[in-house]
Amino acid sequence: MTVKTTVSTQDIDEAFLRLKDIVKETPLQLDHYLSQKYDCKVYLKREDLQWVRSFKLRGAYNAISVLSEEAKNRGITCASAGNHAQGVAYTAKKLNLRAVIFMPVTTPLQKINQVQFFGSDNVEVVLTGDTFDHCLEEALAYTKENEMNFIDPFNNVFTISGQGTLAKEIIEQSEADGVKFDYLFSAIGGGGLISGISTYFKAYSPNTQIIGVEPAGACSMYESVVVNKRVITLDHIDKFVDGASVARVGDITFDIAKHNVDDYVQVDEGAVCSTILDMYSKQAIVAEPAGALSVAALENYRAKIKGKTVVCVVSGGNNDINRMKEIEERSLLFEEMKHYFILNFPQRPGALREFVNDVLGPQDDITKFEYLKKSSQTTGTVIIGIQLKHHNDLIQLKERVNQFDPSNIYINENKMLYSLLI
């Protein structure tokens, strides 16, 4: 039997009919804050409001629903960092199927709990591997051994077709309001979402520029497209944007994306954190890191989108509240507002007062002060964290720190040292 490796608009239309009474038609909203900020019209496609708080339900349900009854009875498996797992769990419960879901050990607890909630007694969760790719190896081995059906999170034409229904919704909603988009921004993890969206948009809105957005620490689609011959596997990825941190995209999604995606943007993880905080404080939107990628990319396109009409897919809202401290820290580092130093500190009364008076600016704040060790009777080695009011004050701060201790170490410039000490 020939395995289908392409996706058509007909496939997406058929998936749309299957999902009609299953998924929520999520809002397409004009965002006044972002529109004013970027001097254009910015619409948000709110997949963070989907039943499982991400677009992944679309692909999961579509891929599972086309299985034969005999295949369904053998059960289903998947590997996922969280959102695809929730879609599979929701579907397993809805169709009363047995599902074994493999998730990386590093998956936020919030997503694990949601999988168990949506799947109830139909789902078994197995935590294994530090990354999605390691988790995937275990899932595939288990699937083969137990003769079950693996539901690929992106490299499956039925998964891609399901994700593509999101694009059909966007086009129908925008046409009803008389809106035509100049740009569409969408996150890329394994490539399922961008493949489905771009397939439909190239057919029904060919003038819309499709912009794929990846985290800078895991831009496997961009690196593969640059090579333009084969899908490459990244040796190392930053796992922070867990919903889009994939070392290797799908062969099917790569073939679709390289023909349909007009440009790729790599967004620093710190910029993603700033966007998450901005969306929460200004728009009351709780976006997960992958869900904020599309909005974060607007800064890279600020000049090009001026006066244009833009849509960003907010792909997910499964953010673990326990990560907010890390998100704030990464944001402050990216914005150059928080700085760490290792200093030799005098061991005498009044030394800290002297540091505050002579080194800190009038609006600077000490956020961390920790002795590493007492170097001698006269000095001690200290980690000190300083938060600025304005990032432009950094040059003056460094000059004053150098005067206080010429042998100081600026930790921000050393990622390994930062990860060990902070």
Side-chain angles (χ1 to χ4, degrees):
M1 183 178 70
T2 303
V3 178
K4 185 176 171 63
T5 59
T6 59
V7 174
S8 67
T9 56
Q10 182 179 345
D11 295 327
I12 295 172
D13 288 333
E14 291 174 356
F16 188 82
L17 292 176
R18 291 189 197 99
L19 297 172
K20 194 174 185 301
D21 298 320
I22 302 299
V23 303
K24 180 190 297 186
E25 180 180 324
T26 54
L28 178 68
Q29 301 172 336
L30 176 63
D31 190 284
H32 297 287
Y33 167 69
L34 291 172
S35 297
Q36 183 176 3
K37 181 177 180 180
Y38 293 104
D39 194 17
C40 64
K41 289 185 178 179
V42 179
Y43 287 78
L44 300 181
K45 178 59 172 170
R46 297 290 306 278
E47 281 298 287
D48 58 304
L49 299 178
Q50 191 52 259
W51 298 123
V52 297
R53 296 205 294 237
S54 90
F55 71 95
K56 288 288 191 175
L57 174 59
R58 297 172 182 270
Y61 189 92
N62 191 55
I64 295 169
S65 65
V66 298
L67 294 173
S68 67
E69 288 304 312
E70 185 273 333
K72 289 178 183 176
N73 290 335
R74 285 189 276 114
I76 55 178
T77 65
C78 77
S80 169
N83 288 340
H84 178 62
Q86 292 181 52
V88 171
Y90 185 99
T91 304
K93 181 69 174 177
K94 191 83 172 176
L95 300 178
N96 194 27
L97 306 177
R98 174 176 175 252
V100 181
I101 295 176
F102 291 77
M103 305 179 75
V105 176
T106 53
T107 303
L109 181 61
Q110 185 268 348
K111 289 188 176 182
I112 298 170
N113 290 340
Q114 286 296 100
V115 169
Q116 294 171 329
F117 169 76
F118 286 122
S120 190
D121 296 335
N122 292 74
V123 168
E124 175 188 354
V125 175
V126 179
L127 300 178
T128 180
D130 291 330
T131 67
F132 166 77
D133 300 275
H134 293 148
C135 176
L136 175 61
E137 291 178 11
E138 294 289 333
L140 291 174
Y142 181 92
T143 304
K144 183 177 181 180
E145 181 181 346
N146 292 275
E147 298 183 341
M148 298 173 75
N149 302 278
F150 182 74
I151 309 301
D152 199 288
F154 47 81
N155 204 41
N156 176 305
V157 293
F158 294 106
T159 302
I160 295 169
S161 300
Q163 321 301 31
T165 62
L166 186 154
K168 182 177 173 68
E169 278 187 17
I170 292 176
I171 288 176
E172 291 184 350
Q173 290 169 322
S174 61
E175 286 180 345
D177 295 332
V179 175
K180 293 185 178 180
F181 293 112
D182 299 297
Y183 291 93
L184 181 146
F185 291 81
S186 173
I188 299 178
L193 178 61
I194 199 76
S195 296
I197 286 176
S198 63
T199 296
Y200 212 80
F201 261 81
K202 287 304 176 185
Y204 293 102
S205 185
N207 293 327
T208 302
Q209 294 284 295
I210 307 298
I211 313 300
V213 189
E214 293 176 286
C219 49
S220 49
M221 181 67 82
Y222 171 73
E223 294 293 344
S224 297
V225 170
V226 168
V227 174
N228 199 30
K229 291 182 179 179
R230 59 186 174 86
V231 179
I232 69 168
T233 302
L234 300 180
D235 294 329
H236 172 75
I237 61 172
D238 186 324
K239 298 186 287 289
F240 175 76
V241 186
D242 51 294
S245 295
V246 176
R248 181 184 175 89
V249 299
D251 299 305
I252 298 173
T253 59
F254 169 70
D255 286 336
I256 296 173
K258 72 178 180 180
H259 291 109
N260 290 347
V261 178
D262 296 291
D263 194 15
Y264 297 87
V265 175
Q266 299 79 50
V267 179
D268 188 281
E269 284 74 10
V272 174
C273 292
S274 294
T275 301
I276 291 171
L277 297 174
D278 200 39
M279 292 176 72
Y280 179 75
S281 62
K282 299 294 197 308
Q283 302 141 289
I285 296 175
V286 178
E288 64 183 91
L293 272 173
S294 61
V295 177
L298 294 179
E299 192 64 36
N300 300 62
Y301 258 71
R302 178 182 284 273
K304 293 182 180 180
I305 63 176
K306 184 177 181 179
K308 304 294 185 180
T309 303
V310 175
V311 58
C312 295
V313 178
V314 183
S315 57
N318 286 299
N319 201 359
D320 188 343
I321 193 67
N322 294 318
R323 302 183 76 188
M324 292 307 291
K325 193 71 177 175
E326 179 188 4
I327 289 170
E328 182 182 14
E329 175 78 6
R330 281 178 174 255
S331 173
L332 288 169
L333 289 171
F334 174 76
E335 302 288 346
E336 297 185 338
M337 302 290 285
K338 202 167 191 179
H339 305 274
Y340 293 94
F341 301 86
I342 295 178
L343 302 172
N344 289 309
F345 219 83
Q347 298 295 291
R348 56 177 170 76
L352 180 56
R353 184 185 299 112
E354 179 183 316
F355 180 88
V356 171
N357 293 336
D358 297 345
V359 177
L360 292 191
Q363 294 182 304
D364 299 343
D365 187 27
I366 294 177
T367 59
K368 183 180 183 70
F369 189 92
E370 178 183 348
Y371 274 101
L372 291 178
K373 67 176 181 177
K374 188 173 182 179
S375 304
S376 67
Q377 289 186 342
T378 58
T379 63
T381 306
V382 168
I383 298 177
I384 190 162
I386 300 172
Q387 186 167 326
L388 305 178
K389 185 72 172 178
H390 303 287
H391 69 87
N392 292 332
D393 295 337
L394 177 59
I395 295 176
Q396 291 81 10
L397 174 66
K398 281 186 172 181
E399 289 176 352
R400 295 192 297 267
V401 170
N402 287 335
Q403 291 173 0
F404 183 84
D405 176 17
S407 63
N408 76 86
I409 299 174
Y410 181 45
I411 301 178
N412 290 49
E413 295 177 341
N414 190 320
K415 288 188 176 181
M416 182 176 293
L417 196 59
Y418 174 85
S419 64
L420 287 172
L421 299 178
I422 309 300

